[in-house]
């Protein structure tokens, strides 16, 4: 699949592979946790699939709420979002909702933000 895509763009396979490995390293540095390499994390996977978001809304832990992030991509499908929540408090952000076709979607995602003992 790389050969088809890169040959159409006039880019060598080696260049594309090197750039991809740079992205893997960047994602590992930004999104790794104690138990998961960055490229296997939900934020890392989204970053690798769609690139850097246009905007990131960060909501740190506040009274009664769990930390979460909303990533916006203005250039995809007229604008989409990805919502990640840190359920455990150990910076392990999980994808809980997206407006991107084909991705996880839960229109009631806000219910996970409230920090209650049973969630």
């Amino acid at each position: 699949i790389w050969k088809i895509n890169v040959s159409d763009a006039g880019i060598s396979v080696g260049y594309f592979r090197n750039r991809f490995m740079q992205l893997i390293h960047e994602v590992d540095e930004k999104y790794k946790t104690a138990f998961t390499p960055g490229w296997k994390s939900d934020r890392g996977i989204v970053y690798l699939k769609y690139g850097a978001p246009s905007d990131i809304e960060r909501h740190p832990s506040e009274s009664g709420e769990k930390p979460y992030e909303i990533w916006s991509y203005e250039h995809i499908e007229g604008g989409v979002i990805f919502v990640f929540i840190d359920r455990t408090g150990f910076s392990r952000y999980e994808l809980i909702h997206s407006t991107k076709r084909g991705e996880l979607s839960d229109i009631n995602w806000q219910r996970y933000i409230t920090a209650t003992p049973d969630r």
Side-chain angles (χ1 to χ4, degrees):
I1 216 166
W2 285 5
K3 289 182 182 180
I4 294 168
N5 291 338
V6 297
S7 65
D8 291 345
I11 301 170
S12 75
V13 173
Y15 172 83
F16 186 75
R17 186 179 297 119
N18 287 341
R19 179 65 186 125
F20 185 74
M21 293 312 293
Q22 287 173 344
L23 280 174
I24 293 283
H25 179 72
E26 181 181 329
V27 165
D28 275 345
E29 289 298 311
K30 286 183 178 183
Y31 305 117
K32 70 181 172 187
T33 67
F35 305 105
T36 309
W39 64 272
K40 282 189 170 182
S41 71
D42 286 355
R43 292 184 299 174
I45 291 167
V46 169
Y47 193 100
L48 288 171
K49 282 173 80 172
Y50 304 110
S54 308
D55 185 54
I56 299 176
E57 246 182 74
R58 289 184 172 89
H59 298 268
S61 182
E62 296 178 8
S63 179
E65 286 190 349
K66 295 180 180 184
Y68 67 101
E69 294 182 352
I70 300 175
W71 290 17
S72 301
Y73 287 84
E74 296 172 5
H75 65 282
I76 299 173
E77 296 175 5
V80 298
I81 64 165
F82 291 84
V83 181
F84 303 91
I85 185 172
D86 179 10
R87 295 179 202 247
T88 63
F90 292 104
S91 296
R92 186 176 171 260
Y93 284 82
E94 301 171 57
L95 179 64
I96 58 168
H97 173 67
S98 178
T99 57
K100 168 78 175 79
R101 280 189 299 267
E103 293 287 353
L104 177 66
S105 178
D106 182 348
I107 59 172
N108 297 312
W109 62 268
Q110 293 92 345
R111 73 182 182 273
Y112 297 113
I113 303 304
T114 305
T116 58
D118 60 332
R119 293 191 186 165

